[in-house]
Each structure stands twice: as structure tokens, then as C-alpha cells.
Amino acid sequence: MNINKNWHQQHYDSLEFGSRIADSVAKGMGSWRFIIIQTVFVIIWMGLNLIAYFKHWDAYPFILLNLLFSTQAAYAAPIIMMSQNRQNERDRIQAQEDYDTNKEAKLEIEALATKLNSIDVEKLDKIIQMLENMK
């Protein structure tokens, strides 16, 4: 384990090319930028097909546009699911790392508490001995 990298960076470095692409696609499709661009595209597509006097390449009810959206959804859904599965795996890894860190911290705290108790006992023994010597 490289001490200079946290587990997030190590996990990212272990991803294959396809996994990185799937994460990028899911991130892009889940953004306001994508929604706005797609909305503008749909408005332009419908506008051009409604006002075109001679050439309606996709007249109302816009069957070709529906086919494009269906194809997009058919590819987007599994890609997004792959990204979500990886997110679940990252969450499991993070939970395990947190658990391990908490266990180590608990052991250290217990060791410190034991050491502090022994120091307190030593101090009390010295005080009792000093009081007995004063008698």
C-alpha cells in the first residue's frame, strides 16, 4: 500500500479503461449541462420539423426522435448501472477502511487509558508512601 495515496486514489488507479469511461458517461448524463443541451437539441429538432415547408425528415409525432431517445436509453441505462455498481463497491471499501481505522483507534485509546491508569496508580502509591514516611 502506497502511503502517499489515499484509498480513493488507489481505487481510481485500479479501474480499467472501460470503467473510467462508464463513470465519465454516467457523470456527464447526470449533469444539468447534459439536460440543457438535450433540451435545446429537442426544441431545435421539433422546431425545424414543424416549420420545414418542403422537407420534414421526422414529421410529427417525431418517430425518429423517439428512436434516437430509445437507443440512447438502451445504452445509457447499463452504463449508469455499471457506474452505480462501482460506487457501491467504493462505499463498501470506504466502510471497511473506516471500520479498520476505528478498530485501530480503539486499541490505541485503550492502550493509552491503561498507561494513564498505571501512571495514576504509581502516583498514588508514591503519595501514600510519602505520607507514611511523614508519620
Side-chain angles (χ1 to χ4, degrees):
M1 179 180 203
N2 187 346
I3 199 155
N4 294 327
K5 290 185 178 182
N6 62 23
W7 71 268
H8 295 282
Q9 188 61 41
Q10 289 175 353
H11 180 74
Y12 181 77
D13 291 345
S14 71
L15 293 178
E16 296 175 2
F17 180 70
S19 299
R20 291 181 190 186
I21 289 177
D23 286 347
S24 296
V25 168
K27 184 178 180 182
M29 292 186 89
S31 69
W32 278 108
R33 182 175 187 247
F34 176 80
I35 292 171
I36 291 168
I37 290 171
Q38 187 150 350
T39 302
V40 169
F41 172 77
V42 168
I43 290 170
I44 291 172
W45 181 287
M46 288 178 171
L48 290 175
N49 277 287
L50 288 175
I51 62 171
Y53 291 111
F54 299 110
K55 181 135 177 154
H56 296 276
W57 72 87
D58 189 22
Y60 181 82
F62 311 112
I63 302 295
L64 183 57
L65 182 62
N66 284 322
L67 177 63
L68 290 173
F69 282 145
S70 297
T71 304
Q72 178 188 26
Y75 283 99
I79 290 171
I80 291 169
M81 290 293 292
M82 287 187 299
S83 182
Q84 287 177 337
N85 289 341
R86 264 189 303 291
Q87 180 62 48
N88 289 340
E89 182 61 27
R90 282 190 295 265
D91 291 345
R92 280 190 289 278
I93 291 170
Q94 182 176 11
Q96 185 62 46
E97 289 287 329
D98 289 346
Y99 176 75
D100 292 342
T101 300
N102 290 340
K103 274 180 40 178
E104 289 173 11
K106 179 184 176 200
L107 292 174
E108 288 178 14
I109 290 168
E110 287 173 350
L112 285 172
T114 302
K115 181 68 175 169
L116 287 174
N117 286 340
S118 70
I119 290 171
D120 286 345
V121 169
E122 287 174 12
K123 284 181 184 178
L124 286 174
D125 287 344
K126 286 181 182 179
I127 291 171
I128 291 171
Q129 186 177 12
M130 289 171 67
L131 287 174
E132 286 177 355
N133 289 341
M134 291 174 66
K135 286 184 183 177

